[in-house]
Amino acid sequence: MGYRQKGIGEDTLRFLNSARQGDTLNDPKAHFDWSRIDGFDALVELALNLHWSWNHAADELWQGLDKELWTATQNPWVILRTVSKEKIKDVLSHPEFRQRLDSLLNRNRTSYSADAWFQNKHPNVVLTSIAYFSMEFMLSEALPIYSGGLGNVAGDQLKAASDLGVPVVGVGLLYGQGYFRQDFDSDGRQQALYPVNDPGQLPIRPLRQPNGEWLRLQIRMPDGKIWLRCWEVSVGRTKLYLLDTNDFSNSAAHRGITSELYGGDAEMRLKQEIVLGIGGWRLLRALGLRPEVCHLNEGHAAFATLERARSYMEDCKQPFDVALNVTRAGNLFTTHTAVSAGFDRFHPDLIRQYLCHYALDELAIPVEDLLAMGRQNASDPAEPFNMAYLALRASGQVNGVSKLHRQVSQQIFRPLFPRWPQEEVPIGSVTNGIHVPTWDSAAADALWTSACGQKRWRGDRPAEDDIRQLTNNQLWQLRKSGRKMMIGHMRERYVLQLAAEGRGSSDASSIFDENILTMGFARRFATYKRPSLLLHDPERLIRLLSNPQRPVQLILAGKAHPQDQPGQALIKQWKDFIKRPEAQGRVVFLNDYDMLLAQEMVQGVDLWINTPRRPWEACGTSGMKVLVNGGLNLSELDGWWAEAYSPEVGWAIGDGQEHGDDPAWDAEEAEDLYALLESDVVPEFYQRDEASMSPKWLGRIRESMARLTPEFSASRAIREYTENHYLPAASNYQERAAEDSKQGLVVLHWRQELDRHWNAVAFGAVRVDTHDGQHFFQVKVSLGKLNPDQIRVELYANSNRGCKPAIESMNTSEPGADSRGMLTYSAQVSATRASSDYTVRIIPHLANVSVPLEAGQILWQH
């Protein structure tokens, strides 16, 4: 199915003028020929590129069209779809407006086409595209197809890829309703609302074929084939492609597959993940894209790895096992889950129902072979199908999202690698980061620009010392302006919120003091996040907030999943607390926590509080967003804060250990939290010098901004992914695919030989001599029908008494086996550790193959 990229005016004007399926048919604009208005296509091009979500140079243009609508929606596309043609013609007739419009458009076009960090740093690399699959993307409130942290990471990394010129292409789903919107009844109980996402009001375009027909794909479900509609989102220089099933040719049931994000039962989730994975890879193929790298942002899209292998089978006329051995080298799986129960699991009968035809007809393998890829025990017919297991077994690299989460993930996945030490379970880590230009305030942006230049997030990391040169006055004014603006936004929200709840709002317009220490707590409300830890002693919290000499105010926000009753109960606790007369005016809970509210909060709060139960916070990014704006963190030593914290940059609770859900430990940490706030945090904020500033607090801000903001940015994360993962994955895939899959066949043959002959591998005698400060090891090994170049013999010592694990390769100098078929391997190591610390082992080995990820055999000498 052919496709070519349209000129921006041609494609978008067709969208506006058409009365095709999915367009807003009752909109009179759909029947007006907008090509008659000179300059309108330039406005459309700006509006349909979400670059405006982190570059605000065009904000004045949209305000000039409809200031009230811009304030309410922050959506240029809605403005163009709403205001009259007379208004648009009028503003375009003004030379100053038109000159600014043309200047912005030319600047953007030049920026998108110019070489960026990636092209300059890796000019000779053949890497045409990285397909980035995610169940959700948080890019802007104008495109509400996200729930929370996973979408936040995906959206921020897509934007950072655009800034850096890394050729990432996003693939996701367009949800008819998306995630729920939050409201409350008069008793403070959460209510879930599901407003419709009208595609005509979203900054997206239908993908069209050269003849103008909407690009639609078909995939098979048990009751027949269904149509998938294809959409395009421009994100700077990158693209995000979306699929939905709301095609009028589909049945009502099938049209609802992409209705809700994380809604419905297991069967609905499976259907969504089939659309995302299989449909998503087919969309890329229909566009003529052949990504060298496939990045799975969580296991939801793991079926993409199967479809990638199927496509390779079709292109190269190879069977599935060869195709998978080739393509997995180019697949990267990022897990965000901190507990094994968080992985998607499906009953085997459900997999058979939905994928038996796919396995037999498309992959040419038995469905039981497919089921085995998602199981720990392939021979257990009752074991559910685990999407994370499939993602791992079909990838050449796997990573967690913080250094601590790597260790947690190694423990979670260890059952797939029996007899391997936990620290060698093949999970790496790339700590998440946030897209700084999306989350910084205008004042913070100006301050960072003055210190580090305009391109600070579009290349290598800015110099820390440039930020350390900022004066106390500059930092103090940044904090004052940020707090003032946030409180202004909060008051406006609170007035509307109280009115909607039928409560008096006379005092809401003046609630909070712009000069008081302001704390923030906002995230998904779930029991493991312990959002009620601050409420452990309500009377003590009241005293902290109402101290007349050192008052504190607290802003809260967050949603609990509609099916999470304990999480909703935690919100209710806060709602009840806020009704207390002593708390009123000092604490607010803002409804419907979304991206826009998050931006307002992180730009203004002085202290961001995070209290997860370690180690359940895989990374966490909310606290990262305050860094650039001069906010500080007080957090549990979990996720990113476990590697970011030092006394110079913030505060921490916890002892760096895991304590489960022990109520006694929760009480102890609540005590630590209160004590830190009462004895350290609050006094430091109010300790003022002769200039009425807080020098110690500002020193902490300066160090936090300088040291942590660059390190926990999406710019750093994408550079790390590119150089440590994308480029090696592309190279390994290309190597295995070259010369009619020659190396892929070598890998497959090697694995087959291991499977057939590993059980015959055995140890003979081991001899150890110690002298001259060295241990000399010698071991006899029988490899059976395996060759020495297919394995590696190693000395291994685990970590103990403060020593790290040690691995030393053993070599054989003999040309062949002795009369008994034994080879002799030897090695020498320092005698600083006892010889009894070391054990000989045999593991698979082949160049450029990840062991034990691709071959998990291991034999220990006893």
mmCIF file of all heavy atoms in Angstrom, residues 357 571 803 811:
data_model
loop_
_atom_site.group_PDB
_atom_site.id
_atom_site.type_symbol
_atom_site.label_atom_id
_atom_site.label_comp_id
_atom_site.label_asym_id
_atom_site.label_seq_id
_atom_site.Cartn_x
_atom_site.Cartn_y
_atom_site.Cartn_z
ATOM 1 N N HIS A 357 -4.856 -18.311 14.925
ATOM 2 C CA HIS A 357 -4.776 -18.109 13.474
ATOM 3 C C HIS A 357 -3.495 -17.379 13.095
ATOM 4 O O HIS A 357 -2.869 -17.662 12.066
ATOM 5 C CB HIS A 357 -5.989 -17.321 12.984
ATOM 6 C CG HIS A 357 -6.000 -15.898 13.469
ATOM 7 N ND1 HIS A 357 -5.372 -14.869 12.796
ATOM 8 C CD2 HIS A 357 -6.522 -15.341 14.588
ATOM 9 C CE1 HIS A 357 -5.529 -13.747 13.470
ATOM 10 N NE2 HIS A 357 -6.221 -13.991 14.553
ATOM 11 N N ILE A 571 -7.888 9.368 48.815
ATOM 12 C CA ILE A 571 -8.301 10.718 48.419
ATOM 13 C C ILE A 571 -9.372 11.235 49.369
ATOM 14 O O ILE A 571 -9.344 12.399 49.798
ATOM 15 C CB ILE A 571 -8.816 10.714 46.970
ATOM 16 C CG1 ILE A 571 -7.697 10.360 45.993
ATOM 17 C CG2 ILE A 571 -9.422 12.071 46.611
ATOM 18 C CD1 ILE A 571 -8.137 10.285 44.541
ATOM 19 N N CYS A 803 33.430 -7.354 48.830
ATOM 20 C CA CYS A 803 34.016 -7.543 47.503
ATOM 21 C C CYS A 803 32.922 -7.658 46.449
ATOM 22 O O CYS A 803 31.891 -8.303 46.665
ATOM 23 C CB CYS A 803 34.871 -8.806 47.468
ATOM 24 S SG CYS A 803 36.285 -8.783 48.581
ATOM 25 N N ASN A 811 41.268 -20.166 29.936
ATOM 26 C CA ASN A 811 41.684 -20.462 28.563
ATOM 27 C C ASN A 811 42.294 -21.851 28.479
ATOM 28 O O ASN A 811 42.833 -22.385 29.454
ATOM 29 C CB ASN A 811 42.696 -19.421 28.077
ATOM 30 C CG ASN A 811 42.133 -18.013 28.120
ATOM 31 O OD1 ASN A 811 41.081 -17.749 27.549
ATOM 32 N ND2 ASN A 811 42.824 -17.118 28.817
#
